[in-house]
């Protein structure tokens, strides 16, 4: 013990000059880190939102949006152009978590959403035929259609009125590095400009709807919260000169009102008319005082005579 004490006692301390050098190096290193992360954040802010926006309503600013938490995100399985998205509904934790959380814990990717695969197949076919334009995603939810298009290089206008879903879209914009391609609006596309009552379904945000009956149709026990959101017709936002390749609409029964608000856009000549994918669920349409027949009649009036059913989705084109 005595010898050990002597060894410790004889050890030399660092000189003041060495300490000052280490302190200076530490300051330089920390300053470099701060500069790097500040530059990255600034770049993200500037590319996500144009300051001089040409739109009648301002896009949603992801950089100013409070960060969602917790973040549970993963890559999607079996897509030619894979992407990452973040869950908004986590299930009933810890007893019954969301199925994708269970997959994540098993080391598996998130299950492939059908709409993501469909969007990529349609867009790849269009690109092969030399077509170009933007994609419009109405009822974007957490971005499964928007990101499917954006990772292929297509620009996207996404409409989503649920704030919690917007937070997850912002997550995905960052994860997939598509801030320059995806423009998000905190609004419900409809047939009039103004405010509209929207019904959020706690625990099943993907089933939120304008219609209170429609929101609670499949999940009657879930708490429903009524909120006021902006509404805007697509015709007010998308100029006639803007080529549009595809419109996807999934708004829990409000599809007819979205389509009526896009009458000019849908009336374009066949070579310029967008490919249309919309949810056609008769129960949800009835809850919003419309019907599949009313929608099909309207589409025929603007030239969409060719429609086919794919599960609960309808795909329509002009010949």
């Amino acid at each position: 013990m005595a010898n050990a004490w002597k060894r410790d006692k004889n050890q030399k301390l660092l000189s003041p000059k060495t300490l000052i050098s280490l302190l200076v190096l530490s300051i330089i290193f920390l300053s470099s880190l701060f500069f790097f992360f500040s530059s990255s954040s600034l770049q993200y802010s500037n590319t996500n939102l144009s300051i001089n926006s040409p739109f009648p309503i301002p896009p949603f600013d992801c950089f100013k949006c409070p960060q969602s938490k917790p973040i549970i995100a993963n890559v999607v399985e079996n897509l030619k152009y894979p992407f990452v998205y973040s869950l908004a509904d986590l299930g009933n934790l810890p007893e019954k978590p969301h199925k994708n959380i269970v997959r994540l814990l098993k080391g598996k990717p998130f299950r492939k959403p059908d709409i993501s695969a469909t969007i990529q197949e349609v867009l790849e076919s269009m690109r092969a035929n030399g077509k170009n334009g933007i994609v419009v995603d109405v009822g974007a939810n957490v971005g499964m259609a928007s990101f499917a298009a954006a990772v292929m290089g297509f620009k996207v206008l996404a409409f989503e009125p649920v704030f919690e879903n917007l937070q997850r879209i912002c997550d995905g914009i960052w994860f997939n590095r598509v801030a320059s391609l995806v423009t998000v609006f905190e609004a419900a596309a409809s047939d009039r400009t103004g405010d509209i009552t929207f019904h959020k379904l706690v625990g099943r945000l993907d089933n939120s709807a304008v219609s209170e009956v429609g929101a609670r149709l499949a999940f009657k026990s879930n708490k429903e919260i009524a909120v006021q959101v902006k509404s805007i017709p697509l015709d007010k936002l998308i100029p006639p000169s803007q080529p549009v390749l595809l419109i996807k609409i999934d708004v829990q029964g409000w599809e007819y009102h979205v389509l009526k608000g896009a009458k000019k856009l849908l009336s374009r000549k066949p070579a310029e008319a967008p490919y249309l994918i919309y949810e056609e669920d008769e129960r949800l349409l009835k809850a919003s005082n419309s019907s599949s027949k009313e929608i099909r009649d309207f589409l025929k009036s603007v030239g969409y005579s060719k429609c086919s059913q794919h599960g609960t989705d309808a795909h329509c084109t002009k010949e």
Side-chain angles (χ1 to χ4, degrees), residues 129-280:
N129 291 324
K131 292 186 176 182
N132 198 12
I134 66 169
V135 174
V136 179
D137 185 4
V138 181
N141 194 254
V142 295
M144 290 175 285
S146 293
F147 299 141
V151 295
M152 296 178 68
F154 291 96
K155 290 192 174 183
V156 180
L157 298 183
F159 296 81
E160 176 54 49
V162 178
F163 181 74
E164 293 83 353
N165 286 342
L166 288 163
Q167 288 181 299
R168 306 302 173 170
I169 291 174
C170 290
D171 291 343
I173 286 174
W174 177 246
F175 292 149
N176 295 294
R177 304 296 191 264
V178 291
S180 62
L181 295 173
V182 180
T183 302
V184 191
F185 296 95
E186 186 179 10
S190 189
D191 51 356
R192 62 181 179 88
T193 302
D195 293 326
I196 194 170
T197 302
F198 194 83
H199 301 272
K200 292 200 305 184
L201 203 61
V202 178
R204 285 300 311 224
L205 292 173
D206 56 329
N207 279 76
S208 301
V210 174
S211 165
E212 181 179 3
V213 176
R216 299 180 65 86
L217 199 60
F219 301 92
K220 295 180 181 179
S221 62
N222 291 57
K223 183 180 178 182
E224 171 262 323
I225 301 173
V227 295
Q228 289 292 305
V229 300
K230 291 183 178 68
S231 67
I232 187 168
L234 294 182
D235 282 341
K236 292 280 187 182
L237 202 103
I238 301 172
S241 59
Q242 174 62 63
V244 179
L245 280 182
L246 184 149
I247 302 175
K248 166 256 168 185
I249 308 171
D250 184 353
V251 287
Q252 300 300 109
W254 203 247
E255 283 76 10
Y256 179 55
H257 300 275
V258 177
L259 292 167
K260 283 202 303 178
K263 186 174 182 179
K264 291 180 181 178
L265 174 57
L266 297 173
S267 297
R268 294 179 180 182
K269 57 187 180 181
E272 299 172 358
Y275 190 105
L276 179 61
I277 301 175
Y278 69 94
E279 186 180 37
E280 194 177 72

Side-chain angles (χ1 to χ4, degrees), residues 1-294:
M1 290 294 295
N3 290 335
W5 177 81
K6 287 179 181 178
R7 283 196 300 271
D8 290 341
K9 188 175 180 180
N10 291 333
Q11 284 181 346
K12 291 184 178 181
L13 297 174
L14 294 174
S15 67
K17 185 176 180 180
T18 304
L19 284 172
I20 292 171
S21 299
L22 288 173
L23 180 61
V24 171
L25 287 172
S26 298
I27 292 171
I28 293 172
F29 176 70
L30 291 172
S31 299
S32 300
L33 283 178
F34 177 79
F35 177 77
F36 173 77
F37 286 114
S38 297
S39 300
S40 300
S41 298
L42 182 61
Q43 183 181 15
Y44 174 55
S45 174
N46 290 338
T47 55
N48 186 43
L49 178 63
S50 172
I51 296 173
N52 299 315
S53 169
F55 302 113
I57 60 172
F60 188 73
D61 190 345
C62 283
F63 188 68
K64 293 180 180 178
C65 173
Q67 178 62 57
S68 62
K69 55 185 178 182
I71 299 174
I72 300 178
N74 200 359
V75 69
V76 176
E77 67 175 357
N78 299 330
L79 282 178
K80 184 174 181 180
Y81 304 93
F83 62 88
V84 174
Y85 77 91
S86 174
L87 294 177
D89 293 320
L90 306 182
N92 186 13
L93 299 175
E95 294 84 7
K96 193 175 181 181
H98 191 284
K99 290 180 180 178
N100 274 327
I101 295 179
V102 176
R103 290 177 65 88
L104 181 64
L105 293 173
K106 292 179 178 178
K108 296 181 179 180
F110 282 174
R111 188 177 297 280
K112 175 181 65 179
D114 290 339
I115 189 61
S116 304
T118 300
I119 291 287
Q120 291 191 352
E121 288 169 8
V122 171
L123 290 177
E124 191 160 46
S125 175
M126 288 183 159
R127 185 154 60 186
N129 291 324
K131 292 186 176 182
N132 198 12
I134 66 169
V135 174
V136 179
D137 185 4
V138 181
N141 194 254
V142 295
M144 290 175 285
S146 293
F147 299 141
V151 295
M152 296 178 68
F154 291 96
K155 290 192 174 183
V156 180
L157 298 183
F159 296 81
E160 176 54 49
V162 178
F163 181 74
E164 293 83 353
N165 286 342
L166 288 163
Q167 288 181 299
R168 306 302 173 170
I169 291 174
C170 290
D171 291 343
I173 286 174
W174 177 246
F175 292 149
N176 295 294
R177 304 296 191 264
V178 291
S180 62
L181 295 173
V182 180
T183 302
V184 191
F185 296 95
E186 186 179 10
S190 189
D191 51 356
R192 62 181 179 88
T193 302
D195 293 326
I196 194 170
T197 302
F198 194 83
H199 301 272
K200 292 200 305 184
L201 203 61
V202 178
R204 285 300 311 224
L205 292 173
D206 56 329
N207 279 76
S208 301
V210 174
S211 165
E212 181 179 3
V213 176
R216 299 180 65 86
L217 199 60
F219 301 92
K220 295 180 181 179
S221 62
N222 291 57
K223 183 180 178 182
E224 171 262 323
I225 301 173
V227 295
Q228 289 292 305
V229 300
K230 291 183 178 68
S231 67
I232 187 168
L234 294 182
D235 282 341
K236 292 280 187 182
L237 202 103
I238 301 172
S241 59
Q242 174 62 63
V244 179
L245 280 182
L246 184 149
I247 302 175
K248 166 256 168 185
I249 308 171
D250 184 353
V251 287
Q252 300 300 109
W254 203 247
E255 283 76 10
Y256 179 55
H257 300 275
V258 177
L259 292 167
K260 283 202 303 178
K263 186 174 182 179
K264 291 180 181 178
L265 174 57
L266 297 173
S267 297
R268 294 179 180 182
K269 57 187 180 181
E272 299 172 358
Y275 190 105
L276 179 61
I277 301 175
Y278 69 94
E279 186 180 37
E280 194 177 72
D281 187 316
E282 200 65 56
R283 299 176 308 150
L284 292 171
L285 292 170
K286 185 178 179 181
S288 296
N289 299 313
S290 63
S291 66
S292 58
K293 183 181 184 306
E294 189 173 31

